[in-house]
Amino acid sequence: MLSAHWRRPRCSVVVVVVIFLGVFAAVPSAVANGGSGQRSNVQHFIGLSTDPSNMNAFVIATGPIHAKGTDVTVSGTRDRFKFPRGTLFITHHASKPATNRFDKVTCYFTFTERGTYRVTGGTGAYAHARGNGRYSLKGSGIACDQKAPPTVFTIEIRASGPLRF
């Protein structure tokens, strides 16, 4: 899916962001460690992937909840984060345009983005989850052939913010 137009990094970044943004913007679900009170805690999330064609990236949550989950991309601005004790519903928006760089000689590309996210609900232990926060995204790879996926690819998304449940 990320194989086309690597020589035009802006298109590539948009595709990567759509696929992986939710991965780490939604990680706050880890906060809902099974309680049902009006607790409010800061949750930290990390989204990681090395596969540009994988629609389900890993989400690592640390803080009140300590869990590994999966990000399921619903749309360009919505994601569903599945954790062992429930699912979170996330919306996210870039607050600044992405920055993209591509070196034609080495075929090395990088991209970054910053934005905000909102937890709009959930299921299971996270049924009443509400929260918001900020995220930052960094990605890089090597891709010379516009018709093939990158030879090397990494993306990391970090997000944090309060979560109420």
Side-chain angles (χ1 to χ4, degrees):
M1 177 163 205
L2 296 175
S3 62
H5 308 295
W6 281 107
R7 292 180 193 256
R8 297 187 333 213
R10 290 182 186 214
C11 292
S12 302
V13 171
V14 170
V15 172
V16 170
V17 169
V18 167
I19 292 172
F20 297 106
L21 261 185
V23 173
F24 300 94
V27 181
S29 66
V31 171
N33 195 9
S36 61
Q38 280 297 94
R39 299 187 312 185
S40 178
N41 296 304
V42 175
Q43 184 67 43
H44 299 278
F45 321 100
I46 300 173
L48 299 170
S49 182
T50 59
D51 184 354
S53 64
N54 186 354
M55 293 298 290
N56 299 319
F58 291 106
V59 176
I60 306 301
T62 60
I65 244 205
H66 203 88
K68 178 178 79 170
T70 303
D71 171 30
V72 177
T73 302
V74 176
S75 73
T77 59
R78 297 182 327 156
D79 290 86
R80 208 170 43 234
F81 292 85
K82 293 184 176 185
F83 290 94
R85 301 193 68 199
T87 299
L88 286 181
F89 303 115
I90 309 297
T91 60
H92 50 85
H93 301 282
S95 56
K96 293 184 177 183
T99 60
N100 310 293
R101 292 192 172 88
F102 180 71
D103 183 330
K104 293 178 185 178
V105 174
T106 64
C107 302
Y108 178 69
F109 64 88
T110 62
F111 54 94
T112 62
E113 183 178 288
R114 293 183 183 274
T116 60
Y117 70 88
R118 181 169 302 281
V119 177
T120 60
T123 66
Y126 318 123
H128 303 287
R130 294 286 185 268
N132 63 316
R134 298 182 182 275
Y135 71 84
S136 65
L137 174 148
K138 293 180 182 181
S140 63
I142 299 172
C144 294
D145 184 348
Q146 294 180 356
K147 296 178 183 176
T151 307
V152 175
F153 176 81
T154 64
I155 188 167
E156 179 179 328
I157 302 169
R158 292 187 176 265
S160 65
L163 183 67
R164 294 170 304 284
F165 51 99

